Amino acid sequence: MSYTLIIAEKPSAAERIAKALDENGKPEVYEENGVRYYKATRDKTKLVIVPAIGHLFSVSQKGGGWTYPVFNVEWVATYRVNKRASNTKHFIDLISKLAKDADSFISATDFDIEGSQIAYNILKYACGTESLSKAKRMKFSALTKDELVNAYYSLSQTLDWGLIEAGRARHEIDWIYGINLSRALMTSLKNVAGKYHTLSTGRVQGPTLSFIARREREIKSFVPKPYWTISAQAEINGGLYVLQYEKGKILTKSEAEKVVEECSGQVGIITDVSSSERTLSPPPPFDISSLQSEAYSLFGYTPSRTMAIAERLYLAALISYPRTGSQKFPPSIDLLSILRQLREHERYTRIVECILSRGKLSPTEGKKEDPAHPPIHPTGTLPEEKLSPEEEKLFDLIVRRFLAVFGPPSIRESIKVTIAVSSHIFHLRGMKTKVAGWQEAYEPYVRTEEIEIPPVREGEQVKIVNVNLEEKYTAPPPRYNPNSLLKLMEANQIGTKATRADIIETLYERRYITGRQIEITDLGLSVINVLSAYCPRVLSVDLTRELEEAMNQIESQKKTRQEVIVDAIEKLTPILEDFKRKEKEIGEALREALFKIQQKQFSLGKCPLCGGELKIIRSRKSRKRFVGCLNYWSGTCNFSAPLPQAGILEPTGKTCPNCGFPTLLVRRPRRRPQELCVNWQKCQGAK
Amino acid sequence: MSGKCPICGERTSRNGSYCENHQLAYENLKKQYQYWKDALQISWQEYLQKIMENKNTGQWAKEVAKDLIEKQKN
């Protein structure tokens, strides 16, 4: 019995595709080694729908040896190179088995570089090379029944080779850069220090970390400048209002004090009342970066978390495909039908009715385009099961943004009252929304301020109750957070919309960066210092961008995969040769940096009993760690205290407010970091 | 021949007596003094003290300010 084998990207996508394509909506369900697959019938054609679980095949080194440079790569089953992916074997085995009786194939993975790449590898390595010529492509942007059935009836007769070749090139180039540069770092250290230490860098990772290092230098070498601001409290119509001095910043203390002196206790006269209106157009629909940005500022979700939640909403057929760069709705999207379905949701009924009552639908558009997918929008399907609180929040945000794009402009009025006090000018400012427009739909997420001011007229006198002088200092540039870093990567065109969030996560995993307000660690800074001193080209944004552009040209079939890979290797080779020549110096520099980091990790600060140095020490006998004073060896201090044996200990550089002993941070998996006084046995504050 | 930074022990930069990071902070300290002098009419010593106590001052700049104060004491 022959059939068409349909390959889906994820188990839940396979289930949705099977239910949508089966004429009765009830495909037969089978299971083998924990992997479910489905049999469906449509137009008398038998369909077997089988899932993948992301990438089932990965790039690996062809041939053995732990050396560099290494440019020979091959694709192998992921479970062979990644122990944590052992479950992928069951998927490959099942697909291989089902492929034997299939007479045609359909790639029904997500329509993007990664999705096309996943299906291509499965067809080539699990189903056999001959399957590639028998394979068609099903393209969809949402997992709704209508969209899937339409996609099935309008299959592309061949695979999407542009995307596949671009995907293969990206994986192979990233692997070649990552493995060679990381091995170069580790080899130089090993040759000098005699032992391995895991270090890594990569094509996008290096430049991204170098952005953070540059910012850290600006912050750590920052010298503030003083300035003064003046405000006054005035009594107007029986109420107290705050006036701002016309000069936002005053640069000398003497000038600021003079103003205060001349205005205190005076009566002001209103010399002008003016108002102006500003029209705020509705925001454009969400692409992935604007969704990640909005979710970060509203809910504090990191870009990778937003991506994961959006992915779940997509797999539940609630929203369209989230990895999109588009801010324009193509005419093929039935906006009216989506709005009508959303009207059924009590929460959105009133807003939708308001939109429909205005007649013609003309959604706002942004500048970005993505021919593969429309902007992120609700499919109209309402949740079948209760969503988790984070899914609920993101879903509501996406729905409201979708509704907001149909709204009329919002109009804000700002009022400025000018008050002369002595020979100085102060202002009272008010702000109000005159027409809510699209903000009504987006209301919970609108961040505008309403500032009420009393009715006033020119010539009116106001009593100045007091004048306040505030000394302030300029602040260093803010630390990047995962959201602003992602935006910076996007602005510099490094990485892709699908990979940027993962690159940032990798930097956390490597312990190169820490905290939500991203701080580079000593380890991260050491790696950047060494790379910028000895092979700065690795950190170059230009090199990364050039490669990105070349890979985009494969997608548009202006360049071939081979050309781009050869070019990438030609660019990397002199870097690695240079690295090899300087291996000894690089190794020395890394060893010195790592030694200092280790010293810093173990050094806790001054012993309040004798002024000696407190250190984390590991007992040779019991192998347990404890804190001890180094003056123990000279016999002048015998302070010691036990320490937790589990978790990572980090000196905080602070002292306990109760006993003056240093404190450290205990980090354990799945627990909040705990600050501990090293004198915890005797410290009153610890009890 | 290069020496060692009196603050962190790293190699000194080519054009100064501190390592690259502390030298950068030192240059910033020198650059901003005139601004503080105009604003507050203070001496270099008073400036360094204020910089050391300011919460917006970067760690390296604080360390350099502390080093300069100590050098002047000795």
Side-chain angles (χ1 to χ4, degrees), chain A residues 71-141:
Chain A
F71 299 131
N72 284 334
V73 299
E74 62 179 344
W75 287 83
V76 297
T78 304
Y79 67 84
R80 290 190 193 278
V81 287
N82 181 358
K83 282 180 193 164
R84 284 184 293 178
S86 58
N87 63 335
T88 56
K89 185 175 188 308
H90 299 315
F91 286 82
I92 295 176
D93 290 347
L94 176 63
I95 296 170
S96 300
K97 189 180 132 185
L98 293 171
K100 281 178 192 152
D101 293 326
D103 58 4
S104 61
F105 299 85
I106 294 176
S107 157
T109 47
D110 295 340
F111 183 49
D112 61 9
I113 285 188
E114 295 304 316
S116 300
Q117 175 68 19
I118 287 168
Y120 166 83
N121 281 334
I122 289 172
L123 289 164
K124 184 171 179 184
Y125 301 110
C127 303
T129 316
E130 68 285 359
S131 66
L132 291 169
S133 57
K134 296 181 209 163
K136 294 174 183 170
R137 185 64 161 116
M138 196 167 140
K139 297 174 186 174
F140 47 88
S141 290

Side-chain angles (χ1 to χ4, degrees), chain A residues 596-664:
Chain A
K596 278 189 185 152
I597 292 168
Q598 249 173 2
Q599 292 293 102
K600 212 169 148 186
Q601 275 170 347
F602 292 121
S603 180
L604 289 167
K606 269 190 181 178
C607 169
L609 302 182
C610 71
E613 192 188 349
L614 290 174
K615 278 199 127 179
I616 299 171
I617 302 166
R618 196 171 279 282
S619 158
R620 281 188 190 165
K621 246 189 196 173
S622 65
R623 305 299 303 153
K624 285 189 173 173
R625 57 190 178 184
F626 64 97
V627 56
C629 177
L630 293 191
N631 276 343
Y632 172 82
W633 305 108
S634 60
T636 53
C637 185
N638 63 357
F639 176 79
S640 76
L643 287 174
Q645 298 304 309
I648 296 164
L649 303 178
E650 278 174 22
T652 58
K654 293 189 252 171
T655 53
C656 170
N658 296 297
C659 67
F661 271 85
T663 61
L664 47 78

Side-chain angles (χ1 to χ4, degrees), chain A residues 245-257:
Chain A
Y245 185 55
E246 65 173 338
K247 275 193 193 172
K249 283 181 179 179
I250 301 170
L251 304 182
T252 65
K253 192 177 183 183
S254 54
E255 185 193 338
E257 284 175 338

Side-chain angles (χ1 to χ4, degrees), chain A residues 433-445:
Chain A
T433 304
K434 276 187 92 176
V435 178
W438 60 269
Q439 293 191 350
E440 241 177 282
Y442 206 51
E443 195 272 325
Y445 310 117

Side-chain angles (χ1 to χ4, degrees), chain A residues 655-661 663 674-687:
Chain A
T655 53
C656 170
N658 296 297
C659 67
F661 271 85
T663 61
Q674 183 196 0
E675 196 170 339
L676 180 79
C677 168
V678 298
N679 185 34
W680 61 274
Q681 281 181 312
K682 292 177 187 159
C683 176
Q684 290 302 312
K687 290 179 179 162

Side-chain angles (χ1 to χ4, degrees), chain A residues 442-453:
Chain A
Y442 206 51
E443 195 272 325
Y445 310 117
V446 173
R447 286 152 286 182
T448 50
E449 211 183 349
E450 302 286 307
I451 307 167
E452 289 275 331
I453 60 165

